[in-house]
């Protein structure tokens, strides 16, 4: 893939931020108490569990974000970051999570989604799974439009624009070839914290 470009759109997370901050503060508080007061009874196991939970809370509620350049879509998730060519995207749909299909693979992001009740509702007629651009939609959020609908419209507009610039037709061999440019980068820090804290917690329980 080409060198990183400037993000032209950053889609704000739709839920979980408040609970994520509260959960992270609670975990941090447990660690601080254990360090300041060794006699608190929290011990190594408690600290390890707090770090483990904190890493999972941060990674699942605060870290996820969806960003896009003119040519690429970036999905930052709990354990990995996925970068994929916008022109390779075949479908975009937002239900309880954002789902993007490239070739025979489906990539999801919990950063943008609908509530369970909203996801059960019948989508608007222009919300079919196939990438069918709707002229005039997606430029601005219409009055009364949900944020999930706006994200769908905006991403579909960006995908259509990227396909047009690269002269790639949906379902064509050229579009299928772009699937090879998808890059998945593991979140090594997050993985290290979760695995390390989990091992410490288990060993402390077994040896305690």
């Amino acid at each position: 893939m080409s060198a990183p470009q400037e993000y032209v759109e950053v889609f704000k997370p739709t839920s979980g931020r408040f609970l994520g901050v509260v959960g992270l503060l609670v975990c941090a508080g447990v660690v601080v108490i254990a360090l300041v007061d060794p006699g608190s009874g929290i011990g190594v196991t408690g600290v390890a569990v707090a770090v483990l939970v904190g890493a999972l809370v941060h990674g699942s509620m605060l870290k996820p974000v969806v960003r896009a350049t003119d040519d690429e879509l970036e999905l930052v998730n709990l354990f990995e970051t996925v970068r994929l060519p916008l022109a390779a995207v075949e479908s975009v749909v937002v239900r309880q999570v954002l789902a993007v299909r490239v070739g025979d693979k489906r990539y999801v992001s919990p950063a943008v989604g609908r509530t369970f009740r909203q996801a059960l509702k019948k989508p608007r007629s222009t919300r079919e799974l196939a990438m069918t651009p709707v002229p005039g939609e997606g430029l601005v959020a219409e009055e009364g439009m949900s944020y999930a609908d706006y994200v769908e419209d905006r991403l579909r507009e960006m995908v259509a624009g990227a396909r047009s610039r690269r002269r790639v037709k949906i379902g064509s061999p050229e579009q299928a070839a772009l699937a090879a440019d998808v890059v998945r980068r593991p979140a090594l820090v997050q993985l290290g914290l979760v695995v390390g804290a989990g091992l410490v917690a288990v060993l402390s329980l077994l040896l305690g």
Side-chain angles (χ1 to χ4, degrees), residues 4-187:
Q5 304 174 42
E6 182 180 354
Y7 295 116
V8 297
E9 190 84 38
V10 178
F11 299 101
K12 63 183 181 181
T14 54
S15 63
R17 304 290 290 181
F18 176 75
L19 290 178
V21 171
V22 172
L24 203 58
L25 289 175
V26 170
C27 292
V30 171
V31 174
V32 170
I33 292 173
L35 294 176
V36 173
D37 182 10
S40 62
I42 294 175
V44 175
T45 302
V47 171
V49 171
V51 172
L52 173 61
V53 173
L56 291 174
V57 167
H58 174 268
S60 61
M61 295 184 176
L62 300 178
K63 180 185 174 187
V65 67
V66 177
R67 300 182 289 222
T69 67
D70 285 328
D71 297 312
E72 295 178 349
L73 179 65
E74 182 178 78
L75 309 177
V76 180
N77 294 330
L78 172 57
F79 291 129
E80 69 173 358
T81 294
V82 181
R83 292 183 66 93
L84 47 92
L86 280 168
V89 175
E90 297 177 17
S91 70
V92 173
V93 65
V94 179
R95 293 293 178 263
Q96 288 184 279
V97 295
L98 167 67
V100 179
R101 184 162 61 86
V102 175
D104 59 352
K105 294 185 179 180
R106 181 172 175 266
Y107 302 94
V108 301
S109 171
V112 180
R114 306 178 194 272
T115 64
F116 181 71
R117 182 177 179 181
Q118 290 173 335
L120 288 177
K121 293 181 179 180
K122 183 179 180 180
R124 292 187 290 168
S125 59
T126 58
R127 298 292 184 272
E128 60 277 296
L129 298 185
M131 291 300 301
T132 305
V134 181
E137 281 202 23
L139 296 176
V140 295
E142 301 169 2
E143 185 177 355
M145 175 188 287
S146 72
Y147 188 67
D149 284 337
Y150 169 73
V151 172
E152 278 187 344
D153 281 347
R154 179 63 175 136
L155 284 178
R156 289 176 178 184
E157 179 190 41
M158 296 184 76
V159 167
R163 286 206 312 265
S164 177
R165 288 191 299 274
R166 301 187 67 162
R167 298 181 181 179
V168 173
K169 294 183 178 180
I170 187 168
S172 66
E174 292 80 10
Q175 187 182 46
L178 287 173
D181 291 335
V182 174
V183 175
R184 306 182 74 162
R185 187 173 69 250

Side-chain angles (χ1 to χ4, degrees), residues 183-208:
V183 175
R184 306 182 74 162
R185 187 173 69 250
L188 298 179
V189 174
Q190 209 89 32
L191 285 168
L193 283 173
V194 170
V195 173
L199 287 175
V200 171
V202 171
L203 289 175
S204 63
L205 284 173
L206 293 176
L207 300 177

